Amino acid sequence: MKWQGRRGSSNIEDRRRRGGGRRAGGIGGIAGVLILLAGLYFGVDVSQFVDLGGSGGSQSVQSGEITPADERAAEFVSVTLADTEEVWATIFREQLDRTYEAPTLVLFKGQTRSACGGASAATGPFYCPPERKAFLDTEFFTTLEQRLGAGGDFAAAYVVAHEIAHHVQNELGILGQVNQLRAQMNEADSNEMSVRIELQADCFSGVWARAAQERFDSLERGDIAEAMNAAAQIGDDTLQRNAGQRVRPHTFTHGTSEQRQRWFARGLESGDLSQCDTFSTNRL
């Protein structure tokens, strides 16, 4: 992905140097691996893995020094976020005849808090609707490459685009409606609705990727393969197998590897938001 030297976003809230306190004690062994894998389920419903009883403040706990890799990741995220701002502003204007209000992306290292609860490296990237903010630990990209086998700039861009796609859903009123419905459902039905939300975000990510290529000519050979590999590595079935669990479809909240790849590809090939309606189809 060609991103160096390009415009960055001004909608970055950098909490990596705040606080200065020590990092909370970690959880090791198999339990730590399972929590990490659970945290890698990108999504909006962070209640399944964080404490929602916090004050929603912006306290951050720094973990170690800011490395050159952290700085490179922050610069990359800023450029990618700027790309999403331009692309979604155009799509909203041309396809929806409305104005896109861009979100803020919070960078942190160690731990921080949000209106949706606490966040750490174990929770993975997430979007918090009440604050209209996405949260990302800059160490996550290392985890994505070294632990999940999903390296490459465009794999990382897919992560950012997926979280911003949740903001798009929030802007369109989709998240609010779905979360109201989920609150009235049993666990299995609620999980199915969560899968539909996540697959739509994957499809929106594909729409963004197509528009970004047309607008910035930023994609290079192998970039789409990187995104497709990332989508495969974070499918519910793959994550459960890699955690040493049996595959339990009724517990899925994000979709299988095949589904995530297929919906991303659908958005990429069509470039059309209307092709991302995961709520009216019987075939996810």
Side-chain angles (χ1 to χ4, degrees):
M1 177 178 174
K2 295 175 285 188
W3 63 272
Q4 290 90 344
R6 294 176 47 218
R7 182 185 75 86
S9 172
S10 61
N11 293 313
I12 296 284
E13 181 180 335
D14 193 343
R15 299 182 186 175
R16 293 175 300 160
R17 292 179 175 86
R18 292 186 186 177
R22 66 179 179 86
R23 187 169 183 169
I27 299 176
I30 295 177
V33 173
L34 294 180
I35 290 176
L36 175 64
L37 290 175
L40 299 179
Y41 283 19
F42 312 147
V44 62
D45 184 11
V46 298
S47 62
Q48 59 189 306
F49 47 73
V50 298
D51 174 14
L52 296 183
S55 63
S58 61
Q59 180 180 5
S60 182
V61 180
Q62 182 177 327
S63 173
E65 64 178 338
I66 305 300
T67 67
D70 289 323
E71 294 291 21
R72 182 182 185 277
E75 184 181 355
F76 171 81
V77 167
S78 180
V79 171
T80 304
L81 183 62
D83 286 357
T84 68
E85 291 163 356
E86 292 191 40
V87 164
W88 285 114
T90 300
I91 290 175
F92 267 52
R93 183 176 63 253
E94 294 181 352
Q95 294 190 23
L96 304 173
D97 192 26
R98 54 183 293 179
T99 301
Y100 175 69
E101 299 293 338
T104 296
L105 193 148
V106 177
L107 292 176
F108 67 95
K109 186 172 183 179
Q111 297 177 343
T112 194
R113 296 205 62 81
S114 76
C116 296
S120 71
T123 61
F126 67 92
Y127 175 71
C128 185
E131 289 189 275
R132 299 165 56 86
K133 293 180 178 180
F135 289 76
L136 175 68
D137 186 323
T138 50
E139 291 183 345
F140 175 76
F141 295 138
T142 300
T143 298
L144 188 69
E145 180 174 3
Q146 296 182 359
R147 297 200 183 187
L148 291 183
D153 286 343
F154 206 71
Y158 161 70
V159 172
V160 175
H162 180 94
E163 297 312 325
I164 300 306
H166 284 311
H167 176 71
V168 172
Q169 292 172 316
N170 200 28
E171 284 283 281
L172 296 177
I174 297 171
L175 282 186
Q177 294 178 39
V178 172
N179 285 336
Q180 285 183 355
L181 290 173
R182 291 182 65 197
Q184 305 168 27
M185 294 177 171
N186 59 39
E187 183 177 2
D189 290 341
S190 176
N191 286 345
E192 181 182 346
M193 290 298 287
S194 177
V195 168
R196 292 177 186 272
I197 277 284
E198 298 300 332
L199 294 180
Q200 184 179 67
D202 284 331
C203 187
F204 284 178
S205 300
V207 170
W208 167 79
R210 180 188 181 97
Q213 169 61 8
E214 293 173 350
R215 189 178 187 90
F216 308 112
D217 190 29
S218 55
L219 270 63
E220 299 176 297
R221 183 183 299 274
D223 279 347
I224 297 302
E226 289 176 0
M228 292 289 279
N229 177 56
Q233 296 303 324
I234 57 172
D236 286 323
D237 52 341
T238 297
L239 285 172
Q240 289 183 353
R241 290 190 192 97
N242 289 344
Q245 302 174 344
R246 63 183 178 86
V247 175
R248 297 173 297 161
H250 68 282
T251 67
F252 290 175
T253 57
H254 287 63
T256 66
S257 295
E258 186 275 333
Q259 288 172 328
R260 301 199 71 166
Q261 288 182 314
R262 177 159 44 81
W263 281 96
F264 174 81
R266 182 166 181 161
L268 178 69
E269 293 165 2
S270 69
D272 184 356
L273 291 182
S274 68
Q275 294 299 309
C276 296
D277 183 4
T278 57
F279 297 97
S280 62
T281 181
N282 291 324
R283 180 178 180 262
L284 288 177

